């Protein structure tokens, strides 16, 4: 049950990041297969069934542009981020960095609280030992 | 590449007509690139099993085609809570109406015993059309939702929300449902007794029957039970006591008390179907009536005390904390 829950939450967490990763990767031109490979090489593996429909959706939204071009004697559809897409990517990156730094602050303040708790409990233990001695 | 062509052909069936060629062309190129790279790695052409493995990674044709669809749901997550609530209310209301119709059918029927089963079996059938119509309406709404403004969701204020209800005023919905079911069962049973006295007396129905007072009070008893069902239905839709509903309940208790008083005063609650006959039967009848008398007096005392207690609380302060505590205690 916990594994399923983790998997669901992980997918939810990844979903937004995937769009960001695809837009960022497509600052350089790619066709579907090489894009998937490039993402996987950078640690952001994504299956074909998710990536190809996502590319079409982003293109419909005007964030990507594509063109059919011949390469290695075969026609391939090359994608790159559009001007509007680049602008949105900058905004999304700002948002992502802001979320990241907030999360860092929250996590570090949690660490501080834990350390303070540990110190105070250690002090209590020491006081009790002194009294007993 | 027979496998790949068959795969693409299957996907084509489920794709939107306009985008078929474009999507399949791109998909084909990507799968071929993947296969070529694998061939380069292995230094030989792929076997059919290896081709199958590459194709299988992409998913079942229906699933692949579905991902290219514009909409993945009929009713979206934004609208779904409203749909679910509407469906529950509509189903409840439809079942209630159909149930009332079934009871009325039994009540007005010349042969109520044989009407019960068909009337009750017809009740659940209302669920399917109500479910279908509500779902179709919400699917249409979801489709046109960018052009339709759902006022109750977008224009609201905390001030327009219902007043705060105290915990002790809450009526558990299970209680109301139980009252509706029990009340309806009683009404149907009571209505069937004149035609089928064995439902009350069992095998003794051949010898004994209800006295004339029961015939006089037959319809008042049914009306009182129906009023109780209506009150329970209102409580089900709005599950908390209000001052008005508390008074209605008091009035129903008072009416029940009056009916029992009339019964106690009437005597001859049970009679012989074919006359008294011999003294032994007369004595037995007397004993049965005596027991009926004691039962009715006990019921009268209990109902009287209950009524008096409720009157005191009602007229002192309809929703005083004490009355609420009492209601809460009585419910628990």
């Amino acid at each position: 049950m916990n594994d399923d829950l983790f998997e669901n939450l992980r997918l939810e967490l990844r979903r937004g990041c995937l769009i960001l990763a695809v837009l960022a990767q497509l600052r350089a031109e790619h066709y579907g297969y090489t894009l998937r490979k490039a993402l996987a090489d950078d640690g952001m593996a994504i299956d074909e069934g998710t990536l190809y429909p996502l590319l079409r959706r982003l293109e419909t939204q005007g964030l990507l542009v594509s063109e059919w071009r011949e390469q290695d004697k075969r026609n391939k559809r090359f994608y790159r981020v559009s001007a509007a897409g680049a602008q949105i990517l900058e905004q999304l990156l700002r948002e992502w960095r802001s979320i990241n730094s907030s999360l860092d602050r929250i996590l570090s303040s949690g660490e501080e609280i834990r350390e303070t708790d540990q110190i105070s409990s250690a002090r209590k233990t020491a006081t009790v030992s002194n009294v007993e001695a | 590449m027979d496998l790949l062509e068959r795969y693409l052909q299957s996907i084509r069936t489920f794709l939107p007509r306009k985008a078929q060629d474009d999507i399949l062309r791109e998909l084909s190129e990507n799968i071929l690139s993947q296969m070529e790279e694998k061939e380069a790695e292995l230094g030989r052409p792929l076997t059919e099993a290896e081709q199958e493995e590459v194709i299988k990674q992409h998913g079942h044709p229906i699933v692949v085609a579905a991902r290219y669809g514009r909409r993945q749901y009929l009713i979206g997550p934004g609208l779904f809570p409203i749909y679910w609530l509407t469906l529950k209310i509509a189903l409840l209301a439809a079942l209630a109406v159909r149930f009332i119709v079934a009871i009325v059918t039994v009540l007005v029927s010349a042969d109520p015993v044989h009407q019960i089963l068909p009337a009750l079996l017809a009740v659940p059938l209302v669920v399917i059309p109500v479910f279908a119509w509500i779902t179709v309406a919400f699917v249409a709404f979801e489709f046109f939702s960018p052009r339709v403004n759902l006022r109750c969701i977008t224009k609201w204020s905390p001030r327009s929300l219902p007043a705060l209800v105290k915990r002790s005023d809450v009526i558990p919905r299970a209680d109301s449902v139980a009252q509706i079911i029990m009340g309806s069962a009683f009404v149907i049973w009571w209505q069937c007794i004149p035609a089928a006295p064995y439902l009350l007396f069992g095998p003794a129905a051949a010898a004994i029957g209800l006295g004339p007072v029961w015939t006089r009070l037959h319809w008042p008893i049914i009306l009182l039970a129906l009023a109780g069902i209506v009150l329970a239905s209102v409580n089900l839709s709005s599950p908390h006591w209000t001052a008005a509903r508390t008074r209605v309940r008091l009035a129903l208790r008072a009416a029940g008390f009056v009916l029992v008083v009339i019964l106690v005063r009437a005597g001859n609650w049970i009679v012989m179907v074919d006359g008294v006959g011999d003294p032994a039967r007369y004595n037995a009848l007397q004993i049965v009536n005596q027991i009926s008398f004691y039962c009715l007096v006990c019921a009268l005392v209990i109902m009287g005390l209950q009524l008096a207690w409720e009157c005191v609380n009602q007229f002192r302060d309809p929703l005083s904390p004490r009355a609420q505590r009492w209601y809460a205690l009585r419910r628990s």
Side-chain angles (χ1 to χ4, degrees):
Chain A
M1 194 270 174
N2 267 348
D3 286 349
D4 287 350
L5 184 62
F6 170 73
E7 190 54 26
N8 284 342
L9 294 172
R10 190 182 73 87
L11 287 176
E12 240 173 79
L13 192 63
R14 264 174 61 96
R15 202 165 291 142
C17 296
L18 282 180
I19 295 174
L20 203 57
V22 167
L23 288 175
Q25 198 68 260
L26 285 176
R27 285 178 295 190
E29 198 177 58
H30 282 285
Y31 71 96
Y33 180 65
T34 53
L35 171 64
R36 187 173 157 262
K37 272 190 67 186
L39 286 167
D41 290 346
D42 289 336
M44 190 60 105
I46 175 170
D47 64 74
E48 301 87 350
T50 306
L51 179 63
Y52 303 148
L54 175 64
L55 289 173
R56 297 186 75 85
R57 200 163 62 243
L58 293 175
E59 190 185 16
T60 314
Q61 289 167 343
L63 304 180
L64 298 179
V65 286
S66 73
E67 66 170 330
W68 285 95
R69 216 171 48 233
E70 197 178 292
Q71 191 191 55
D72 301 332
K73 296 179 185 170
R74 279 223 310 273
N75 265 328
K76 287 167 184 166
R77 186 177 204 157
F78 288 87
Y79 291 93
R80 65 188 156 76
V81 77
S82 67
Q87 207 176 341
I88 290 276
L89 175 62
E90 283 309 310
Q91 289 172 332
L92 287 176
L93 282 174
R94 266 203 300 278
E95 184 63 28
W96 178 70
R97 284 184 187 120
S98 150
I99 291 170
N100 240 4
S101 58
S102 302
L103 206 54
D104 279 343
R105 275 199 299 278
I106 292 165
L107 289 172
S108 61
S109 68
E111 283 293 314
E112 275 172 25
I113 290 167
R114 208 163 20 187
E115 276 168 23
T116 316
D117 285 349
Q118 278 170 356
I119 290 165
S120 61
S121 67
R123 274 182 190 159
K124 269 183 200 168
T125 316
T127 314
V128 170
S129 316
N130 287 342
V131 168
E132 279 173 358
Chain B
M1 290 299 151
D2 180 48
L3 280 181
L4 178 59
E5 278 161 23
R6 282 163 61 188
Y7 182 63
L8 296 174
Q9 177 186 272
S10 300
I11 295 174
R12 180 184 288 276
T13 319
F14 306 105
L15 284 174
R17 192 176 293 275
K18 272 185 187 175
Q20 279 176 356
D21 290 336
D22 200 42
I23 290 172
L24 291 178
R25 198 171 150 204
E26 186 180 12
L27 201 57
S28 163
E29 286 308 320
N30 288 329
I31 295 174
L32 283 172
S33 297
Q34 198 175 346
M35 286 180 174
E36 277 173 8
E37 192 176 275
K38 206 162 181 182
E39 281 174 353
E41 265 176 37
L42 297 169
R44 59 168 172 80
L46 294 185
T47 62
E48 197 170 84
E50 286 163 340
Q51 286 178 22
E52 186 187 344
E53 196 188 333
V54 171
I55 290 170
K56 273 186 83 173
Q57 280 174 12
H58 284 254
H60 191 280
I62 296 176
V63 178
V64 173
R67 285 178 179 143
Y68 286 95
R70 284 179 65 198
R71 299 162 67 85
Q72 299 289 320
Y73 46 77
L74 290 174
I75 298 168
L79 200 57
F80 191 81
I82 303 163
Y83 160 71
W84 192 239
L85 181 67
T86 311
L87 188 64
K88 282 197 283 189
I89 293 170
L91 283 176
L92 209 63
L95 280 172
V97 169
R98 199 67 194 78
F99 196 65
I100 290 165
V101 170
I103 291 176
V104 171
T105 310
V106 173
L107 289 181
V108 299
S109 167
D111 184 13
V113 179
H114 291 100
Q115 282 294 321
I116 295 172
L117 202 60
L120 289 179
L121 285 178
V123 172
L125 296 180
V126 77
V127 167
I128 297 165
V130 169
F131 173 77
W133 281 114
I134 297 282
T135 306
V136 166
F138 271 83
V139 168
F141 189 82
E142 178 70 42
F143 188 76
F144 296 110
S145 58
R147 279 167 274 170
V148 181
N149 186 10
L150 198 60
R151 272 188 71 83
C152 63
I153 297 297
T154 52
K155 304 266 182 196
W156 73 282
S157 156
R159 290 173 191 278
S160 62
L161 295 173
L164 199 62
V165 176
K166 290 175 188 166
R167 259 185 98 77
S168 52
D169 284 341
V170 173
I171 308 165
R173 281 203 157 99
D175 285 10
S176 304
V177 170
Q179 280 170 22
I180 293 168
I181 293 170
M182 298 300 286
S184 307
F186 171 77
V187 167
I188 293 169
W189 174 75
W190 187 243
Q191 178 64 8
C192 290
I193 282 177
Y198 56 84
L199 290 174
L200 179 63
F201 295 114
I208 57 174
L210 289 172
V213 64
W214 295 104
T215 313
R216 278 209 313 278
L217 294 182
H218 181 81
W219 281 104
I221 288 171
I222 281 188
L223 287 176
L224 189 61
L226 286 176
I229 294 170
V230 171
L231 180 63
S233 305
V234 174
N235 288 344
L236 186 64
S237 63
S238 164
H240 58 270
W241 287 114
T242 59
R245 267 186 267 163
T246 312
R247 285 188 195 112
V248 170
R249 188 182 56 180
L250 193 63
L252 292 181
R253 284 203 193 288
F257 183 75
V258 170
L259 284 180
V260 178
V261 169
I262 295 170
L263 278 172
V264 169
R265 288 166 59 108
N268 286 334
W269 301 282
I270 309 291
V271 293
M272 287 291 174
V273 174
D274 50 355
V276 172
D278 62 83
R281 287 179 74 183
Y282 176 76
N283 284 340
L285 186 66
Q286 286 296 93
I287 291 168
V288 171
N289 272 321
Q290 198 64 34
I291 293 168
S292 304
F293 174 73
Y294 291 136
C295 290
L296 284 170
V297 168
C298 280
L300 192 67
V301 170
I302 292 167
M303 288 172 79
L305 288 173
Q306 208 175 20
L307 184 65
W309 181 251
E310 276 204 37
C311 280
V312 168
N313 285 304
Q314 174 69 26
F315 292 112
R316 184 186 292 167
D317 178 2
L319 289 171
S320 69
R322 194 175 170 185
Q324 287 163 10
R325 273 201 304 279
W326 185 75
Y327 291 143
L329 267 175
R330 206 193 51 171
R331 277 199 292 274
S332 66

